[in-house]
Amino acid sequence: MDVARTEVAVRPEAAVRRTRAGNAARLALMAGPAAFFALFFAYPVAAIVARGLKSDGVWHLGRIVDVLGQDGIRHVLWFTTWQACASTALTLAVALPGAYVFARLDFPGKQVLRAVVTVPFVLPTVVVGTAFLALVGRGGLLDAWWGVRLDTTVWAILLAHVFFNYAVVVRTVGGLWAQLDPRQEEAARVLGASPFAAWRRVTLPALAPAVAAATLMVFLFTFTSFGVVQILGGPAFSTLEVEIYRQTSEIFDLPTAAVLTIVQFAAVGAILAVHAWTVRRRETALRLVDASVTARRPRGAGQWALLAGVLTTIAVLLVLPPAVLVQRSLTAPGFGYYRALTGQAGNVFLVPPIDAVGNSLEYALAATAIAVLIGGLAAAALARRDAGRLVRGFDALLMLPLGVSAVTVGFGFLIALDEPPLDLRGSWILVPLAQALVGVPFVVRTMLPVLRAVDARLREAAAVLGASPWRVWREVDLPMVRRALLVAAGFAFAVSLGEFGATVFIARPDNPTLPVAVARLLGRPGDLNYGQAMALSTILMVVCAVALLVLERLRIDRTGEL
């Protein structure tokens, strides 16, 4: 009896020790990412806001009211919101039929077409803007055939946003749609409901959380649009992100830029909060549906017509702009624009523009290494579900770079990181650090679901046998999440390769990145500069597409395991 009582007393004590060791390990894992975000995100952003709203040690908060009272700023706020709403509505109208086709219909080439649909989303915004400029701008396809130009119009911006976000709706809504049991809708049809009524009363309520999540994601991406509006909008249209760039780099009005940064941060923070709530609702809905549905061949004239319409939309909206971009880059005889990239005559750089390819690859690889290290540590810290307020706050911290202007972060780097011990303005590492800030959230969101799927009992058994937290991670978690780690690295690489908002401030003239080089060439007059911009955009598009294909190959192996 005494022995039994002793064992009962010892087991809770051992459990307490393991819990304390786990909490200590979690705090140790959080220390690195927290320090990284404090030094390279919070500090630069706070520095630029303080520079704009503080003088002689006194905060001038009245500047916020003064700035927001300006007619030009109110117009920017209105256009930012209006174009985001219009872009979101147009994207949903165009992409929802595609979501149905990919979820419910089976046809030859479906997997290849799914990859084609996804390519635009990983393309840098500079490439998207350049592709539509080649299609609807001066000398573009519409100009050559019908004498119609849409550049510097709101329609060019809206269509480019649909091109960029089409995959968001197809992946988010289509993924859930494929898991809904069609027999529920068929049962409503048997009971006398019309096809539309059955869809409205049965399928739509189940899809509502996914549609809401996709809507908020598209709205977020279009609300913070920079590269597309910068290239296609011209001087007539300016979003918050573009206006922050203009106020800092052209007018040097830091108070106005600081106020706009605060406004954008508050707005995007609210969007992210609503998105997190919507995602939680979506996860609850997914547990209630039957996921055993398989797609089938189209039946009837209606489904065949829908499939034809979706294929036509993809060909015109998603395939044609990149194809025209490639065609425009080849208009000079003998690959003239590509050969011109190797020279320096007439260009705006201290080095041949082709050097931007090597620079971008080197920066992206360094940024990927940083993002995987920081994001991997953060995901490991968040893997356990028994999260308190501190851990939930840490999770929110990791998403903050999505809610702050990349332009603000880049300019903040120049202002804040210019004194010892953080005098990095002349260091090459500055660009990868800025790119890694954007890549870390993608790494965390890719790895976290897989880490949370690991059976906690495996970790506990290894700990009981005397394994240290590091050995538990190496022996238990790492073998199961290796593929997810590679996928996360692919996302980080693609995002880093196309980062433009922050890099445009901190990339040195002798080491430009591909997006910066494209933007600078487009800003210079002359057919040679324009053709070189098309050639560089094509190179960047090909590199991103190859990265996506590798990513898709890693995501699902032949056995269907992640």
Side-chain angles (χ1 to χ4, degrees):
M1 181 67 68
D2 292 338
V3 173
R5 290 178 179 176
T6 302
E7 289 179 353
V8 172
V10 168
R11 287 174 183 170
E13 183 178 348
V16 169
R17 285 199 302 269
R18 288 197 299 270
T19 300
R20 290 176 177 174
N23 290 336
R26 170 182 277 177
L27 291 176
L29 291 171
M30 290 169 54
F36 177 81
F37 273 77
L39 288 176
F40 300 115
F41 176 72
Y43 178 47
V45 171
I48 193 172
V49 172
R51 183 71 66 91
L53 299 181
K54 187 178 180 181
S55 61
D56 299 326
V58 179
W59 287 91
H60 301 280
L61 299 181
R63 291 177 180 172
I64 297 178
V65 178
D66 295 338
V67 169
L68 296 181
Q70 299 176 18
D71 291 338
I73 298 301
R74 288 202 301 268
H75 176 74
V76 169
L77 294 174
W78 163 249
F79 178 74
T80 300
T81 306
W82 178 88
Q83 65 83 25
C85 292
S87 297
T88 302
L90 188 59
T91 302
L92 289 173
V94 173
L96 282 176
Y100 172 82
V101 165
F102 281 100
R104 294 299 199 199
L105 302 184
D106 186 24
F107 51 91
K110 180 178 178 178
Q111 296 304 320
V112 175
L113 195 63
R114 189 189 301 274
V116 170
V117 166
T118 309
V119 167
F121 182 69
V122 302
L123 290 180
T125 56
V126 170
V127 173
V128 176
T130 308
F132 272 83
L133 193 64
L135 178 63
V136 303
R138 174 179 56 85
L141 188 64
L142 295 184
D143 190 15
W145 286 5
W146 296 294
V148 176
R149 289 182 55 184
L150 295 179
D151 59 323
T152 68
T153 68
V154 70
W155 279 108
I157 296 173
L158 297 181
L159 290 174
H161 284 161
V162 175
F163 170 90
F164 189 76
N165 293 292
Y166 187 92
V168 175
V169 178
V170 170
R171 290 278 184 167
T172 305
V173 179
L176 177 58
W177 210 331
Q179 295 177 308
L180 298 181
D181 189 348
R183 291 174 297 184
Q184 297 177 359
E185 188 172 325
E186 292 170 1
R189 295 279 306 277
V190 170
L191 294 175
S194 65
F196 177 75
W199 178 83
R200 180 173 58 85
R201 295 178 181 177
V202 177
T203 304
L204 184 59
L207 287 176
V211 173
T215 300
L216 287 169
M217 290 173 64
V218 174
F219 185 85
L220 174 64
F221 291 139
T222 54
F223 187 84
T224 58
S225 181
F226 176 59
V228 168
V229 180
Q230 178 77 355
I231 293 175
L232 296 176
F237 302 104
S238 179
T239 58
L240 272 173
E241 191 90 354
V242 174
E243 188 64 21
I244 292 172
Y245 173 77
R246 191 174 73 90
Q247 294 291 339
T248 52
S249 65
E250 299 177 8
I251 303 178
F252 303 106
D253 187 350
L254 288 186
T256 299
V259 171
L260 295 180
T261 296
I262 294 172
V263 171
Q264 186 180 40
F265 181 76
V268 176
I271 296 171
L272 289 175
V274 175
H275 180 261
W277 174 76
T278 304
V279 168
R280 286 196 296 271
R281 286 190 59 199
R282 179 190 173 191
E283 290 175 347
T284 301
L286 281 175
R287 289 193 290 267
L288 300 177
V289 300
D290 184 356
S292 62
V293 177
T294 57
R296 62 188 184 186
R297 301 281 292 181
R299 298 178 181 177
Q303 289 190 349
W304 281 108
L306 179 62
L307 176 59
V310 169
L311 294 178
T312 302
T313 300
I314 293 174
V316 173
L317 186 63
L318 303 186
V319 177
L320 184 60
V324 173
L325 173 64
V326 175
Q327 184 270 331
R328 291 296 299 274
S329 72
L330 297 172
T331 52
F335 298 95
Y337 292 140
Y338 289 91
R339 288 189 289 106
L341 296 176
T342 62
Q344 290 182 264
N347 67 56
V348 296
F349 307 105
L350 301 178
V351 295
I354 195 64
D355 287 2
V357 178
N359 296 335
S360 289
L361 293 176
E362 292 174 0
Y363 287 143
L365 288 173
T368 299
I370 297 171
V372 169
L373 175 61
I374 299 299
L377 292 174
L382 295 170
R384 291 174 56 184
R385 295 183 177 274
D386 54 338
R389 291 183 179 180
L390 177 63
V391 177
R392 288 195 296 269
F394 175 69
D395 190 11
L397 170 68
L398 300 174
M399 298 297 108
L400 285 180
L402 299 179
V404 173
S405 166
V407 171
T408 300
V409 174
F411 196 64
F413 270 36
L414 295 182
I415 291 177
L417 305 181
D418 62 342
E419 297 179 357
L422 288 175
D423 187 3
L424 301 176
R425 284 197 299 180
S427 174
W428 67 272
I429 197 64
L430 205 60
V431 173
L433 287 173
Q435 294 174 342
L437 281 172
V438 185
V440 167
F442 289 90
V443 173
V444 173
R445 291 305 160 201
T446 302
M447 294 187 62
L448 190 56
V450 181
L451 283 171
R452 283 181 172 171
V454 176
D455 193 340
R457 292 173 295 183
L458 296 176
R459 300 189 184 102
E460 294 172 359
V464 168
L465 294 174
S468 64
W470 162 246
R471 188 173 182 184
V472 171
W473 158 257
R474 180 167 54 88
E475 299 291 343
V476 177
D477 293 73
L478 184 58
M480 297 185 179
V481 302
R482 184 181 292 113
R483 187 175 298 275
L485 186 64
L486 293 174
V487 173
F491 270 122
F493 180 80
V495 170
S496 301
L497 197 65
E499 205 287 321
F500 177 58
T503 309
V504 70
F505 278 98
I506 55 183
R508 299 198 310 243
D510 58 339
N511 283 289
T513 63
L514 276 170
V516 172
V518 170
R520 290 179 181 173
L521 286 169
L522 287 175
R524 301 277 293 187
D527 291 336
L528 180 61
N529 288 322
Y530 184 81
Q532 289 182 92
M534 297 293 161
L536 276 181
S537 296
T538 300
I539 294 173
L540 182 54
M541 179 177 65
V542 170
V543 174
C544 289
V546 170
L548 174 66
L549 293 176
V550 174
L551 182 65
E552 286 291 323
R553 190 174 185 86
L554 290 173
R555 178 180 286 275
I556 301 177
D557 63 12
R558 293 183 182 273
T559 62
E561 296 176 354
L562 182 65

